[in-house]
Structure formats: structure tokens, C-alpha cells
Amino acid sequence: PLNSKTQTAEELQPKRTSILRVCDLLANFSHQSSWNRRPLSRLYSCFCFYPQTCLHPLCRTFPPSVRYRRSFLSELIRRQEALDGEYLDDLYEAFAEVIGEKEKNECYKSYILPSGDVVSLQESVAVISEGTTGLVTWEASQYLSEWALEHTQMFRGRSVLELGSGVGLVGVVICRCCSPSTFVFSDCHDSVLDKLRRNVELNGLTEPAVRVQPLDWTTVTEAQLKEAEPDVVIAADVVYDPDVVVVLVNLLSKILKCSSKKPDVFVCSTVRNQETYDNFKQQLETSGLCHHVIPGRRSHIFPSNSLSDIELIKVHT
């Protein structure tokens, strides 16, 4: 089944505790409106977050980047110093261990789903590595994942093709929570495909229902697209370069015009450059394709500090 998990992943599901990001920690304390005006019991001590985060089995098995762990522990220490100062020796010792640890090229990011299920992905620490930006998760992927969780009926029992899957967040979330009949992850960069296969396997997704395939937008034929015959096509954070825009629009045009199913096509974009994004929409129009904006998702499941505009559109003939 698409939502199957390996035994290890099952054992690592957080039950009453979860991995908290720094912003979640701050939010928890900010909700204690009088915490600065009265002594806190040990229940509210920052130290209680330590075993639930840094020492949690999920974090131990799939560790975040060294830089992130340093920032997290530094914030815990700062908060604990502002309280009664208990447990500082333990936190100082933990911080010293992280300070002495060398940063690696890769790390893990774990995403807690509303069901309590966990998606863990191996990603690059650097935004650009091995000549590609496809080895990290971008904001539009989080947005599209959240939208999918609110619209599971769009994917349930349907075949899905994802363009430019990157490290795989959107696809893994859909496979875990939306019950598609089949799902095809695709990308063209060898390093991205290797990482994608690793993450698909890591999250317990297996063939034949789930496949990872190379897909070069510039050379793919209509015959290949007809063979795929998806019910739904999705893409996140693929509108970032004027040269890519032309190729992407040509591909979307092929998909919509050669398929007998007339698939639902969704493109989610972070609008970093308004001119590039406007050009994308103009190219759609020039190619005889229409689009309309899909209302934003209601919930924010994954913490994000992004201030960029993100837009989800449906493309159709």
C-alpha cells in the first residue's frame, strides 16, 4: 500500500511528544502570558523540551543539521538562564557536544503530519549543491503539501505525476495521506534522482504503486506522456528561471493536449521575481492554455519563516 511504513519509521512515530522547532518553542512560551511575572514550575522548564527534541529517537536517527541543533540548544539555554537556572549544566554539556561536531554536507528534516505520522527527508545543507537547487525542500513544496492534506479527495484513487519532485516532500505526503492509486516522482538531475530514491525508500514507499523516473522536459515525447496517462499532474517551485519557463509551458501543453483523461494540473510557485512569474502566465496564454488561482490553504502545518508570496494555480485548456 502507498501509505506503508518501514518498521523503523513506525517505531519512531511520536506519541505524546513531537519534534519541536525553535519557533514552536517560542510560541509555547509566548502563550504563557505571565511567565515573566511569576516563578515557573518544572513543568514549564525549558529543560523538559530537551529529551523531547534533541534526544528524541526520531532526532537521533534522522539528525537535523549541526547548525540547526546549535541554534536550538542556544535558544534553550537562553530561555533556561532567564528562569531559575536549573539544569544548565546538562544543557551546557549538550551544547558543547554540538559545538565540537563538524557540519556535514547532508542532514535530515522531519515533518510532523496532522495524523502524527512523520515524513523524514535527507537533504543537502547547502541551498545549491552539485550544480542544482533540487536537493533541498522549498517553501512552495510545503505549501502544496499543506493544500493536498486539505484536499485529499483530489488525489484519492487517482494516478499522479509530479514534475520536478526534488527531494520528495509533496509526493511522500500525498502517498502517505491521500491514497493515490499510483504516484510517479520525476526529475532530470542524476543527484536529485538518487536522493529522491533514497527518500522514497526511507519513507517506506515501494514499487509498483510508487515509481521514481527520470524526466527531461526538453526531450520527453508525447508517446511517453500518453503512456504515463496521469489523472493529476503537480509541480512545486519550478517557475524560477525565464529559460525554464518556456520549456515548462511546452511540457504542460503537451500533457494537456495529448492526454485523453484531461488531467488536473496544479503548479505551485514562490513568486521571487514578479517579472518571471508574469512571463510564465503570459507563456501559458500564448500557448493556448488557461489558468485560475486556487484559494490558499487554510492551515499552516509546517513552520516557515518565508515572507515570499506563494500562489497555486490550476492550468487547463
Side-chain angles (χ1 to χ4, degrees):
L2 290 187
N3 61 352
S4 64
K5 299 181 286 292
T6 63
Q7 184 177 2
T8 302
E10 183 70 42
E11 293 171 350
L12 294 175
Q13 299 304 304
K15 303 300 182 182
R16 298 180 183 273
T17 61
S18 63
I19 302 299
L20 299 177
R21 296 181 61 127
V22 173
C23 55
D24 296 323
L25 175 65
L26 293 173
N28 288 335
F29 278 108
S30 66
H31 292 159
Q32 304 294 330
S33 59
S34 59
W35 77 278
N36 272 323
R37 299 194 295 272
R38 63 179 174 82
L40 287 180
S41 68
R42 290 188 179 186
L43 176 64
Y44 297 111
S45 169
C46 291
F47 185 72
C48 73
F49 289 100
Y50 179 56
Q52 298 175 13
T53 53
C54 300
L55 298 182
H56 192 282
L58 182 65
C59 191
R60 290 289 199 183
T61 305
F62 305 121
S65 69
V66 173
R67 179 181 178 183
Y68 183 85
R69 282 180 279 153
R70 286 173 185 164
S71 298
F72 187 87
L73 279 169
S74 178
E75 185 61 31
L76 278 182
I77 290 171
R78 189 182 75 81
R79 291 280 174 165
Q80 190 66 23
E81 287 174 339
L83 299 176
D84 54 17
E86 290 187 71
Y87 310 112
L88 278 171
D89 287 345
D90 299 278
L91 290 174
Y92 288 150
E93 182 177 344
F95 188 66
E97 290 181 7
V98 178
I99 286 292
E101 189 174 343
K102 291 184 178 180
E103 187 69 86
K104 299 178 180 179
N105 293 330
E106 298 174 329
C107 66
Y108 291 91
K109 291 183 182 178
S110 294
Y111 300 85
I112 312 299
L113 304 179
S115 62
D117 201 3
V118 179
V119 171
S120 293
L121 302 174
Q122 188 181 63
E123 304 188 7
S124 172
V125 172
V127 171
I128 301 176
S129 60
E130 301 184 49
T132 178
T133 58
L135 294 172
V136 297
T137 297
W138 294 91
E139 294 90 342
S141 294
Q142 295 184 1
Y143 185 106
L144 184 54
S145 298
E146 292 170 336
W147 183 84
L149 290 170
E150 293 177 349
H151 299 82
T152 57
Q153 74 283 356
M154 180 59 66
F155 306 96
R156 188 177 295 114
R158 307 182 77 193
S159 58
V160 184
L161 168 65
E162 182 179 17
L163 307 174
S165 298
V167 292
L169 175 64
V170 181
V172 174
V173 168
I174 289 175
C175 290
R176 283 282 190 86
C177 302
C178 303
S179 304
S181 59
T182 61
F183 194 100
V184 176
F185 295 83
S186 72
D187 217 293
C188 66
H189 195 285
D190 289 341
S191 296
V192 176
L193 288 166
D194 288 343
K195 189 73 65 187
L196 189 51
R197 292 187 184 97
R198 162 66 177 156
N199 285 332
V200 167
E201 180 183 355
L202 184 69
N203 287 277
L205 304 176
T206 58
E207 295 184 347
V210 177
R211 305 193 309 276
V212 176
Q213 293 185 177
L215 181 63
D216 188 329
W217 298 356
T218 61
T219 61
V220 65
T221 64
E222 290 190 4
Q224 289 173 308
L225 294 174
K226 283 182 179 179
E227 183 180 354
E229 199 71 11
D231 297 307
V232 185
V233 178
I234 58 174
D237 247 326
V238 293
V239 181
Y240 56 88
D241 181 278
D243 294 332
V244 173
V245 163
V246 176
V247 178
L248 173 62
V249 171
N250 287 337
L251 174 61
L252 296 179
S253 181
K254 282 183 183 178
I255 290 173
L256 285 165
K257 292 176 180 178
C258 76
S259 174
S260 60
K261 289 186 176 181
K262 298 302 179 186
D264 294 308
V265 177
F266 299 96
V267 180
C268 190
S269 306
T270 302
V271 185
R272 299 181 181 87
N273 184 299
Q274 191 64 53
E275 184 178 351
T276 298
Y277 192 61
D278 289 344
N279 179 47
F280 167 59
K281 290 184 174 181
Q282 181 61 50
Q283 290 289 338
L284 289 174
E285 184 178 336
T286 302
S287 297
L289 300 179
C290 304
H291 76 276
H292 66 268
V293 177
I294 303 295
R297 80 281 200 223
R298 295 185 298 273
S299 60
H300 296 265
I301 299 167
F302 307 127
S304 174
N305 296 323
S306 175
L307 299 177
S308 301
D309 291 332
I310 299 178
E311 186 171 86
L312 175 62
I313 65 171
K314 181 175 182 179
V315 181
H316 52 93
T317 54

